[in-house]
Amino acid sequence: MANQPAGDSTAPAIEVTGLGVRYSLRLTRKNTLRNSLAHLVRRNGGGAGHFWALRDVSFRVVHGESLAVIGPNGAGKSTLLQSLAGIIQPTEGEITIRGRLSSLLTLGAGFDQELSGRENILLAGAFLGIDDGEIQRRLEDIVAFADIGQFIDAAIKTYSSGMRARLGFAIATSVDPDILLLDEVLATGDQVFRAKSKERVLELAKGAKAIVLVTHDMHWVTEFCNRAMLIEHGKVIAEGQPEEIVRLHETRSEEARRSVAALPA
Amino acid sequence: MGLIRAAWTDVWSRRKLIRYLVSADLKKKGRDTLFGNVWWVLDPLLQMVVYVVLVSIIFKRSEDDYALFIFAAILPWKWFSSAIGDAITSVSGQDRLIKQVQFPKIVLPVAAILAGITQFAFGMIPLAALLGLLYADRISPTLVLIPVVAAVQLVFTLALGVLAAALNVFFRDIGNLSRHVLRLWFYLSPALYGAAVVDQIGGSQRLIADLIRVNPFYPILNAYRSVIYEGAPPDWTALGGVLGISIVFLLVAVWFFKRVEPTFAKVL
C-alpha cells in the first residue's frame, strides 16, 4: 500500500537531524514592487532581514509512537509540521520520512466553496496525491464517517464549520497513512464527533502508525501520546514522558505570564 | 533541464488533479451568473458590437465586413487576456492550500490556462453564426486551420501565464499592472486594424510600428484573420517563428517557476 518502502519496523518512521528553517522577512512581508524598489535604493540596510523559526531540532519517531509537540504560540510548532509534510524546505539539516505520510494541518484546506461535498472529496484527494481509484472506492466510507448525509451533493458553502471539519478529517484519515501529522484539529466538531475522531486517531496509532500531533489540549498529550516535546522560540527545550513535559510547559508558561505581569506598564 | 523534466513529471502524474481543477473552474464560472456559460457566447459578440460602433460609425475607419474582421481577433484575444488574468492569481489565490498540502504548484497555472480553452471553443458558436448568417461568402476551407493557430497561441499563453503566476507570488502588483498592460497590448496588436494600418503608422512612428511587429500577437492575430476573414492560409514562416520563440519562452518560464516553487509556502 505504501508508495515509499516502509522499511523494517526498527527503522524510525521520522528522523530529523539538525533541522533549521529560516524565514526571510523581506520576502514574507506582503511584497510589492514599491517595497522592493525601496530596499534596492536603501541597499538593504536592514541587516537582520531573517529569523529562524526552527533551529537545531533533532528527534526521531518510531512506528507505533505518537509524539505531541507543545509550546507557546509562535514557537515553531506549525513550521515543524509543515517541514515534516514537505510543504516547507528546510534551510539546514535533514528530514527522513519512511512510509506514507498524510497531514491534517488545517481541515478542509483544499476545499472549494462552490463545489459539492462529493466533488470536494475527489478534488482534495487529488491535491493530497491519493490515487483516484482509491479515493473513489473510499468515497462512501468518507461520507459515512463525516456523517453529512444528503448534504454530500450540496455546495460546501452551505455546510456548517463542523461539517466541513468532519469532512476534512474523514478525507485525511481515510488513506491509512503510516505517518499522520495533526495540527490542532482534534478540538473541532461537537462532542460526538470529537469522540469519534479520538477513536480514529487511536486506531491509526495502534496500527503501528506514527503520529506527530500539535495541540494546546494537554489532556490529549497525557492521555494519548507516549512522548512529548516542548519547543520554544524554535528550539527544543525538553523531550520525554508526556506528564513531565506538560508539567514543565505549565511551569514555564506560568513564569512567562508572571514576568509579563511584572513588567511596568 | 532537470527542473523542466521534474515539471513535466509533476503535470503528467497529476493530470487527474488538473482535470478536476479545470472542471471545477468551468462549473463555477457557469454557476455564478444567471446566463451561465451563455456569457462565453455573448461576451465577444457584445464587445464586437462596441468596437463596430466605435470604429466604423464614430471614427469612420472601418474595413470591409468589419464585424467579422475584428471578431476574428477579439475571440482569441479574449481567450488570451482572461487566461492570463486567471493564471496570475492561480497560485497566490491558493495560499491557504499551499501552506497546508504538499503538491506540485505548477498544476495551478496550467489548469487555469487549460480551462480557458473551453471559453475559446464556445466562441466558435458565435463565429459560426456570424459567418453563416451575415458573411456566408467568406466561409472557406481554411477555417479548419483555426486549431493550428490556437495551438501556437496556447504555447505562448502557457509560457506567459506560468511566469506571471510565479512572479505574482512575490510581487502582488503584477495583478494590478496586468490589466493596463493587457489593454495597451490589445491596442498595440492588429485587432481593430490590419497590417496595412501598421505599415501606415510606420511612415511617421517607426518605433510604434516596430513594437507592434515584434509583438507575438502580430503574427498570431494576422494568422487568425487569414484563415477566418481572408480565407487564405496563414503566413507559416511568421507563425512558425512565434511557435519557436514560445517554446523557448515556455521552457524558461517553467524552469523559473520550478526554481522559485520551494519558497512559495514561506512567502504566501
Side-chain angles (χ1 to χ4, degrees), chain A residues 22 27-28 31-33 36 82 85-87 89 91 105-106 109-110 112 114-115 119 126-127 129 132, chain B residues 14 16-17 20-21 24 27-28 31 96-103 170-173 262 265-268:
Chain A
R22 191 179 64 190
L27 282 178
T28 43
N31 237 321
T32 62
L33 279 173
S36 305
Q82 285 180 317
I87 294 161
Q89 306 291 317
T91 314
L105 300 191
T106 294
D112 195 312
E114 302 291 329
L115 297 180
E119 289 164 330
F127 266 122
D132 195 61
Chain B
R14 295 299 185 102
K16 200 85 191 189
L17 173 58
Y20 284 141
L21 285 171
K27 256 180 217 147
K28 267 187 291 176
R31 268 179 209 168
R96 280 195 55 218
L97 185 62
I98 288 169
K99 280 193 247 183
Q100 307 295 342
V101 182
Q102 158 61 12
F103 67 98
F170 302 97
F171 305 105
R172 299 300 173 89
D173 311 60
K266 283 191 191 174
V267 175
L268 284 169

Side-chain angles (χ1 to χ4, degrees), chain A residues 115-132:
Chain A
L115 297 180
S116 74
R118 190 185 301 275
E119 289 164 330
N120 264 301
I121 293 174
L122 297 178
L123 186 63
F127 266 122
L128 293 166
I130 303 168
D131 177 65
D132 195 61

Side-chain angles (χ1 to χ4, degrees), chain B residues 92-171:
Chain B
S92 46
Q94 290 285 20
D95 50 344
R96 280 195 55 218
L97 185 62
I98 288 169
K99 280 193 247 183
Q100 307 295 342
V101 182
Q102 158 61 12
F103 67 98
K105 266 62 87 181
I106 199 153
V107 300
L108 297 172
V110 169
I113 289 163
L114 292 184
I117 294 178
T118 319
Q119 189 186 344
F120 184 65
F122 266 80
M124 292 299 120
I125 298 170
L127 178 66
L130 203 62
L131 277 168
L133 297 176
L134 296 174
Y135 306 108
D137 51 322
R138 293 238 181 215
I139 295 174
S140 82
T142 55
L143 286 171
V144 302
L145 291 173
I146 293 175
V148 178
V149 186
V152 175
Q153 183 185 338
L154 178 65
V155 177
F156 180 75
T157 310
L158 269 174
L160 190 64
V162 165
L163 180 70
L167 286 176
N168 194 51
V169 172
F170 302 97
F171 305 105

Side-chain angles (χ1 to χ4, degrees), chain A residues 105-248:
Chain A
L105 300 191
T106 294
L107 294 173
F111 286 167
D112 195 312
Q113 298 300 315
E114 302 291 329
L115 297 180
S116 74
R118 190 185 301 275
E119 289 164 330
N120 264 301
I121 293 174
L122 297 178
L123 186 63
F127 266 122
L128 293 166
I130 303 168
D131 177 65
D132 195 61
E134 195 180 329
I135 199 89
Q136 301 268 15
R137 269 197 306 281
R138 288 167 189 258
L139 202 102
E140 291 314 313
D141 283 349
I142 293 171
V143 175
F145 188 83
D147 193 21
I148 36 183
Q150 76 275 31
F151 282 99
I152 192 64
D153 286 311
I156 286 263
K157 65 180 171 194
T158 64
Y159 285 27
S160 70
S161 57
M163 285 162 79
R164 235 170 279 173
R166 295 206 299 269
L167 187 60
F169 185 89
I171 294 171
T173 54
S174 74
V175 292
D176 267 335
D178 298 315
I179 298 159
L180 185 63
L181 307 178
L182 299 166
D183 187 357
E184 209 52 273
V185 293
L186 303 156
T188 46
D190 55 20
Q191 288 295 336
V192 181
F193 188 73
R194 233 181 282 183
K196 220 161 102 175
S197 56
K198 264 185 186 181
E199 211 173 284
R200 183 69 158 261
V201 170
L202 289 174
E203 202 179 291
L204 288 169
K206 254 184 236 145
K209 312 277 154 89
I211 293 183
V212 178
L213 157 80
V214 164
T215 185
H216 287 288
D217 183 351
M218 293 305 146
H219 285 296
W220 254 97
V221 179
T222 48
E223 254 183 274
F224 301 111
C225 296
N226 37 34
R227 214 147 55 87
M229 187 165 84
L230 172 63
I231 54 177
E232 280 175 18
H233 305 296
K235 292 214 160 68
V236 178
I237 302 294
E239 199 193 330
Q241 287 301 313
E243 292 80 12
E244 249 172 73
I245 303 298
V246 167
R247 217 173 305 129
L248 180 68

Side-chain angles (χ1 to χ4, degrees), chain A residues 73-88:
Chain A
N73 286 329
K77 303 185 297 289
S78 296
T79 305
L80 178 60
L81 284 197
Q82 285 180 317
S83 314
L84 291 176
I87 294 161
I88 283 180

Side-chain angles (χ1 to χ4, degrees), chain B:
Chain B
M1 219 49 211
L3 285 175
I4 291 167
R5 200 169 310 128
W8 173 250
T9 318
D10 285 350
V11 170
W12 184 247
S13 66
R14 295 299 185 102
R15 55 191 185 279
K16 200 85 191 189
L17 173 58
I18 294 175
R19 240 185 55 199
Y20 284 141
L21 285 171
V22 168
S23 70
D25 192 42
L26 297 180
K27 256 180 217 147
K28 267 187 291 176
K29 278 183 180 150
R31 268 179 209 168
D32 279 354
T33 50
L34 189 61
F35 281 179
N37 299 344
V38 176
W39 278 113
W40 292 342
V41 174
L42 285 182
D43 243 3
L45 276 177
L46 292 175
Q47 196 166 1
M48 180 200 76
V49 171
V50 169
Y51 286 122
V52 167
V53 169
L54 186 73
V55 178
S56 70
I57 298 177
I58 298 177
F59 292 151
K60 296 201 190 315
R61 290 200 56 156
S62 73
E63 312 265 342
D64 294 340
D65 299 340
Y66 191 62
L68 184 65
F69 179 87
I70 55 171
F71 199 68
I74 286 175
L75 218 47
W77 182 267
K78 278 200 80 72
W79 171 31
F80 172 71
S81 62
S82 60
I84 292 298
D86 290 346
I88 286 175
T89 53
S90 64
V91 175
S92 46
Q94 290 285 20
D95 50 344
R96 280 195 55 218
L97 185 62
I98 288 169
K99 280 193 247 183
Q100 307 295 342
V101 182
Q102 158 61 12
F103 67 98
K105 266 62 87 181
I106 199 153
V107 300
L108 297 172
V110 169
I113 289 163
L114 292 184
I117 294 178
T118 319
Q119 189 186 344
F120 184 65
F122 266 80
M124 292 299 120
I125 298 170
L127 178 66
L130 203 62
L131 277 168
L133 297 176
L134 296 174
Y135 306 108
D137 51 322
R138 293 238 181 215
I139 295 174
S140 82
T142 55
L143 286 171
V144 302
L145 291 173
I146 293 175
V148 178
V149 186
V152 175
Q153 183 185 338
L154 178 65
V155 177
F156 180 75
T157 310
L158 269 174
L160 190 64
V162 165
L163 180 70
L167 286 176
N168 194 51
V169 172
F170 302 97
F171 305 105
R172 299 300 173 89
D173 311 60
I174 302 286
N176 303 31
L177 203 62
S178 71
R179 266 172 281 146
H180 302 287
V181 170
L182 282 170
R183 179 163 297 177
L184 185 64
W185 196 344
F186 177 70
Y187 292 127
L188 287 182
S189 303
L192 302 178
Y193 49 85
V197 174
V198 181
D199 295 338
Q200 215 179 308
I201 297 169
S204 54
Q205 301 276 343
R206 270 212 72 90
L207 188 73
I208 299 285
D210 288 343
L211 200 63
I212 295 173
R213 288 198 193 99
V214 296
N215 161 12
F217 269 89
Y218 182 76
I220 289 176
L221 293 184
N222 280 343
Y224 278 113
R225 192 161 281 144
S226 295
V227 301
I228 296 172
Y229 173 81
E230 283 153 12
D235 179 349
W236 291 115
T237 331
L239 202 58
V242 181
L243 180 62
I245 291 168
S246 301
I247 289 172
V248 173
F249 182 24
L250 179 62
L251 293 178
V252 172
V254 167
W255 176 84
F256 176 76
F257 190 97
K258 287 298 290 178
R259 190 67 209 282
V260 296
E261 186 186 15
T263 59
F264 286 172
K266 283 191 191 174
V267 175
L268 284 169

